[in-house]
Amino acid sequence: QLNMAKKKEAFLKEFKEGPLQFKPTYKFDLYSEVYDTSEKKRKPAWTDRILWKVKNLCEVASKEGEFPEEENLISVTLNNYVSHMSYGISDHKPVTGTFKLEMKPLVSDPLVMLSPEGEWSAEHDVLIRYSAVPELPSSAWDWIGLFQVTFRHVNDYVTYAWVEDDEISSNKDSKQVYMSASEIPKMGGEFLLCYYSNNLQSIVGISEPFQV
């Protein structure tokens, strides 16, 4: 029934399952390993299952031609997939899977260097200069955010600029992006600039603290 559904339902097609090398886990008489002896005598079935899917962000990017599909950020290997016959408090036997998760190594050096240019205030538009390493899988959805130095989450930005839409100059070494004066906090304070990579789903560059 599950295999039939996987052929029909689009959202199930990419899910994987390990080999069913254990006997059906339903329906048992309670506290036993004996299949249903009631009047219904239900047919044994592999009712309890574990399916998994890895949404590699690079797979999405590769469809857009950003970078090769083989550079997967995450890979999963199923080590074992078993049932546990010793449990008898239900007419189902529990099923467990053990997985090995491999992730792309963390990058110790920033992929983007960025800094504010000139004096920053709410009285005029301000400029940001940044440079990225060649291997950065850049995207039109990358953005640079203005954060207070005490920020705790990527969504704590005060304002942001799109790296492509708000670009005003570019050369082989660096690019310039502007932020509108109307978006700069009038109360001032100490802030940071952070470059967010849409493909990597993380901040890949942080400026030194500066005053607004």
Side-chain angles (χ1 to χ4, degrees):
Q1 188 177 12
L2 175 61
N3 289 335
M4 290 171 61
K6 287 179 70 175
K7 292 178 181 179
K8 295 180 179 179
E9 301 293 341
F11 79 96
L12 283 174
K13 288 181 179 179
E14 294 181 15
F15 280 84
K16 299 178 182 179
E17 183 183 20
L20 291 171
Q21 296 177 340
F22 48 85
K23 65 182 183 179
T25 56
Y26 176 83
K27 178 181 192 280
F28 289 89
D29 291 340
L30 294 183
Y31 305 104
S32 78
E33 295 184 17
V34 178
Y35 288 112
D36 190 11
T37 58
S38 70
E39 292 182 358
K40 293 184 178 180
K41 295 190 181 299
R42 295 186 181 181
K43 185 178 179 179
W46 284 275
T47 305
D48 302 272
R49 312 282 279 273
I50 297 174
L51 307 180
W52 79 92
K53 174 186 174 183
V54 177
K55 182 181 178 182
N56 274 315
L57 298 170
C58 59
E59 291 179 7
V60 177
S62 67
K63 293 176 182 178
E64 300 173 355
E66 297 288 353
F67 57 104
E69 187 171 350
E70 62 264 25
E71 292 186 19
N72 288 336
L73 300 175
I74 301 172
S75 66
V76 173
T77 304
L78 177 65
N79 287 341
N80 64 52
Y81 184 29
V82 297
S83 64
H84 300 274
M85 302 300 291
S86 60
Y87 291 85
I89 60 174
S90 168
D91 54 4
H92 295 256
K93 300 298 183 183
V95 172
T96 61
T98 303
F99 296 84
K100 177 183 178 182
L101 176 65
E102 295 184 12
M103 302 183 71
K104 199 169 184 178
L106 290 174
V107 178
S108 56
D109 296 325
L111 299 179
V112 175
M113 300 292 293
L114 69 166
S115 61
E117 292 207 316
E119 180 182 349
W120 275 48
S121 77
E123 297 177 359
H124 54 79
D125 292 350
V126 293
L127 299 177
I128 302 162
R129 184 172 294 277
Y130 76 92
S131 59
V133 298
E135 57 268 28
L136 175 71
S138 60
S139 162
W141 298 103
D142 289 359
W143 50 272
I144 295 173
L146 178 66
F147 293 82
Q148 292 184 317
V149 292
T150 55
F151 86 98
R152 300 175 64 87
H153 190 275
V154 68
N155 290 336
D156 293 341
Y157 57 83
V158 177
T159 184
Y160 64 90
W162 296 107
V163 297
E164 288 196 9
D165 290 352
D166 298 320
E167 180 181 304
I168 60 171
S169 71
S170 174
N171 59 48
K172 65 177 182 179
D173 297 319
S174 65
K175 297 182 178 182
Q176 267 189 331
V177 173
Y178 84 96
M179 279 185 177
S180 172
S182 62
E183 303 294 332
I184 306 303
K186 294 181 180 180
M187 75 288 191
E190 192 172 26
F191 291 86
L192 296 165
L193 292 169
C194 297
Y195 186 108
Y196 184 84
S197 166
N198 184 66
N199 284 329
L200 299 179
Q201 294 285 292
S202 66
I203 291 173
V204 295
I206 301 177
S207 75
E208 293 293 330
F210 64 96
Q211 292 292 323
V212 172

